[in-house]
Each structure stands twice: as structure tokens, then as C-alpha cells.
Amino acid sequence: LCIPTIFVAYTGEALDYKAPLLKSLAVLEKAALGVCQYFDKDVARVHTTLGIEQEYFLVDKALYDARPDLVMTGRTLFGHAPAKGQQLDDHYFGSIPARAHGFMLDFEEEATALGIPLRTRHNEVAPNQFECAPTFEDANLAVDHNQLLMDIMGRVAERHHLKVLLHEKPFAGVNGSGKHNNWAMSTDTGVNLFSPGKTPNDNLQFLTFFITTVKAVHRYGDLLRASIASASNDHRLGANEAPPAIMSVFLGSTLDNVLNELERTSELQLEKADNIYLKLGIDKIPAILLDNTDRNRTSPFAFTGNKFEFRAVGSSANCSSAMTTLNAIVADQLLAFKTEVDALIEQGKKKEVAIVEVLRQYVISSKDIRFEGNGYSEEWKAEAARRGLANVPTTPQALDALVTPEAAALFARHGILSEVELHARHEILLEEYQKKIQIEARVMGDLAINHIIPTAIAYQTKLLQNVQILRELGLDDEHTQITVDMIKAISSYVGTIKTTVDEMVEARKVANKLTDVRAQAIAYCDDIKTKFASIRRAVDKLELLVADEDWPLVKYRELLFRN
């Protein structure tokens, strides 16, 4: 039994994720209650609900143990895609393999015993990728349960001679793993604030919370990006069904049209409308939008019927970070909304007119964050830049958002995090990023120098012996030239690998001498990861030449994907 707690420094600063999460939930409830009073005076409490989908890979433990890179970094630093990967989607739409199913039943029993309400199990798109998800529950409890669930999965997998990989992108060329956070708010009167109702007044309440959330994401998209930044998630964002690093909101055509209609309505029309709901078409919003919204898999933040799905969170992440930020920015926007509406009411405007006027301004000012198209496309990158939306693909730059004056003011204003606590988190996350890349670099250097190059040279020796024998038989250069060319190519790639590994080691030394932790992280991001790519390219080309059964590690890649 794990008992959740909080960790606080002697000087009072929060040292964990739990304390800020609890504070953000309290702030959001207070802000939402004030807005709910416009629509229903009986509302006394607002609960933040969360359903966390957990994606993961399963691999055989023996094969896992044979991969030093998997063991030490959680991902394969070298390897090629299998001939048959996820092209046919047959894993996604197939039945759960028997071995995986047995593991699932086992860890589900363990989870049930600890009160974790798992509800679904299914294959995911990539070979040997799976997912489970719980019933929605209180956000604080949902985060605790997910942390505990990851531990349970790892321990139960050992009993089945399997390993659970929670790394966001353990294998190139196949889908990465995320942790989709389905987030909503509900009142103690049983109303989901993100679900359209049966009356015009209910729909205006829905639009209020819906539009305010969109506006919050527009204002603080950089903070949301920072909340999900990590070395491993950088590999996933924007690749193979993961949302891009550009923060945008997907609404679906029905609601997008509703907001467009609201934008076109003038203030004069609102003032003169006998029935403001009819004028806006609010009374015509379908009660259930599930069939009217496409779960756009390329969107990092999508509305999916009666909740928002924050899809950019990584599979290994503690969801507290993302949820603390989301709660804080929505609470801040709700408080600003109430202030603006109250000011208009004091000027003598009808409550409904005042609410719609403020919402209309939010729709207009946040329009750039709404995107219904393909988030993977190069066109979207260009369009996002035109709209002024940031595209921050790497963690060191993304984390800069934590130490801006705007971020400090936001979190301090609501008593969630002090400026000292923000700067501490910024430094710790940068250091963690640097050390993870450093470990990967060391493992890559070891594998390249002590495993791959010796095998390549051994194969090269076989080729040299073959050429010698052919010439002893009296065959001329015409019969040996192809083999000689292969020998030369192997020498070239071996030289490239050795030289680049040496350069990578020197680049690490230079980076480590930098006094500023951000500068160190940037150097690792720019210099070390560039060397990663160069080494991988050379190894990939070398592999095509070395037809040796002892070629280390790389061939295990295909075996890892066999069920």
C-alpha cells in the first residue's frame, strides 16, 4: 500500500508534484464556483475529473536484457525497423496476444485490489504496444492511481518474464507512447461543465467554460508545452501519431461553426436581440457532440465530446505537472472572465449579454489557437508561425517558459508556486535532461566502439581472406572488385564512427565545463544529439554491408516485436 504524501523543505518550499497539484485544484474550484453562480445558485462544489490513458510497450525480458541501451536508457539507440512493422495496422485491430493478455489480467487484479478502477484494455498501433485506461475520477486521486499503476505494471511484468517500456519513443519508425489526460470539471449537482445541456441556459454555461479554456490555452500555450517537456518526449512529439510540439486546440466542425457564428454576431445585434440564445443558435447545440467531433490524433489538445484531451503528455510522465499547469491557467482565465463580466453588469448590461460579449471577445482573440487540420504537415508549421504560435521541439528551450515574468506572476498570484520554486524546477528539469542525454551518449559510444566496430572489422577480415583466396586461384580484379569496394566502404564507415564518437566525448567535456545549467542543456541538445544522428547514419550504412550473424544488438530489433 502506497500512502500519498507531500514533501516540503525546511524553508517551506514545495519539493514535489503533489503540493502544487492540490493548490491548483483548490484555486480552480474557487474560480469555477464563481462563474457557476451565474447559472445555478445551488452549486456548492466543483470537482476536477481526470481519466488517464496509459500506453506502453511489452518486450520479452531475455531480449531486453540483451540490449544494454534498453536496460540503461529505456530505448534502442541502434537498430533498424523490421520489414513488417505497423504498416497493416493488424496489431491495432487484432486480438490481444495470449501472453500479453495473461499479463494484463494479472496486473488488473493487482490494480483492483488497490482501488484503481481500470476499465479498458486493448492493442495500440505499434507492434507489442498496448493501452489501459481507468474510469474517470477525482483528478488528485487519478494522478495517484496512475503513479501506482506504473509501478504495478513493472512488477507484474517481471512475473511474466516481460518488461514494460514506458519510454515515449523506445523504437524509431513506430508509434511512440503517450498518456492522454482526459480532463473535465463537474459540479456537485451532477453537471459536467463541458457537456452541452438540454436548455439554452445550460448551453451558455457550457460555452462559457469551453471558450474560457480555449482562451487559457491560447494565452499560456508555452507553459503547457513546458509542462510536458522531457528528453524522451522530445523524440515522440510530432512523430508517428504523436501530437506536434506546437500547442493548438481541436474543436471539431460543429463547435468550430458555433464559435464562428458567435464571432460574426455584432454587439449591436446582441443588445437588440429579444432572445439572445436564439440569435446565437445556442439553443440548437446538439446535446451529445460525440458523433460531431473527430478525435483528431494530430492535435495536442482536443475537445472530445464532453472533455478536453491533453494528448501531448508522455507515457512515463507524472501527470501532476501537466494538470497543475492546466488547472492554473484555466483558473486564471475564469477569474479574469468573471471580473470582466461583473464590470459589464455594473454598467447596466443584462447578465446574458455581458457573458456573451466577453465570450465573443475571447473567441476573436484566441482564434489563432484553433486548428482543425493535419498537425503533422509542414504546411501547419508554416501556418502556425504565421499565426504567431511557438514551435519549440526541444526541452531546454521549452522549459524557458517556466522562468518568465508572466509565469512567475501567474503561479504566485494564485499561491501555487513561488518564483523560487519555479526557478528550482527549471534548473532540476534542465539537469535531468542533460544527464539523460549524457547517459545515452555514453551507452552509444560503448556500443559503437566495443561491439559494432569489432564485429565490422571481423567481417572485414573475412572479406580480405576471401579476396586473398580468389587471387591465389588466379582470378583477376574483375572478380574481386566488389569485395574490395565493400572492404573500403567498411573501413570508411568504421573511421567515421570512431571519429564521431571521439568528437562526441569531447563535446560532452566542453558542455560539462559550462557553468550555466541551461547552457549545458542547450549544448547537449545541439552538439551531442547532432553527433547521435551522425553515428546512427554510419552504423545504418555499415549494417547493410556487414552480413554477419554476430552483428551485435541490432538484429534483436526484429525479435523484440514478435508476439
Side-chain angles (χ1 to χ4, degrees), residues 52-54 146 150 177-181 310 313-317 319:
I52 304 173
E53 304 170 32
Q54 179 69 60
N146 182 255
M150 290 190 288
S177 295
K179 181 143 51 188
H180 304 168
N181 282 226
F310 193 12
V313 183
S315 60
S316 65
C319 295

Side-chain angles (χ1 to χ4, degrees), residues 322-356:
M323 291 302 99
T324 297
T325 301
L326 182 57
N327 293 339
I329 65 175
V330 174
D332 188 73
Q333 195 60 57
L334 285 170
L335 291 170
F337 170 80
K338 190 172 189 309
T339 299
E340 294 175 55
V341 170
D342 287 347
L344 292 177
I345 292 174
E346 288 180 7
Q347 295 174 16
K349 294 195 174 184
K350 290 175 59 178
K351 178 182 69 176
E352 291 78 10
V353 172
I355 289 172
V356 173

Side-chain angles (χ1 to χ4, degrees), residues 58 142 199 201 205 248 324 405 492 526 533 557-558:
L58 277 181
T199 68
N201 186 66
Q205 176 178 265
S248 66
T324 297
S492 173
D526 294 341
R557 175 62 182 278
E558 292 201 33

Side-chain angles (χ1 to χ4, degrees), residues 58 122 219 260 297 309 382 468 492 547:
L58 277 181
H122 63 85
R219 283 181 65 193
N260 288 336
R297 294 177 177 274
E309 185 178 6
Q468 183 180 356
S492 173

Side-chain angles (χ1 to χ4, degrees), residues 27-37 46 185 193 209 331 334:
V27 171
L28 180 59
E29 178 178 24
K30 184 178 179 180
L33 271 175
V35 176
C36 282
Q37 295 301 307
V46 175
M185 291 184 283
L193 295 174
F209 284 91
L334 285 170

Side-chain angles (χ1 to χ4, degrees), residues 259-271:
L259 299 196
N260 288 336
E261 183 62 34
L262 180 57
E263 179 183 349
R264 286 190 289 267
T265 304
S266 69
E267 294 183 21
L268 181 61
Q269 287 175 307
L270 293 176
E271 290 286 358

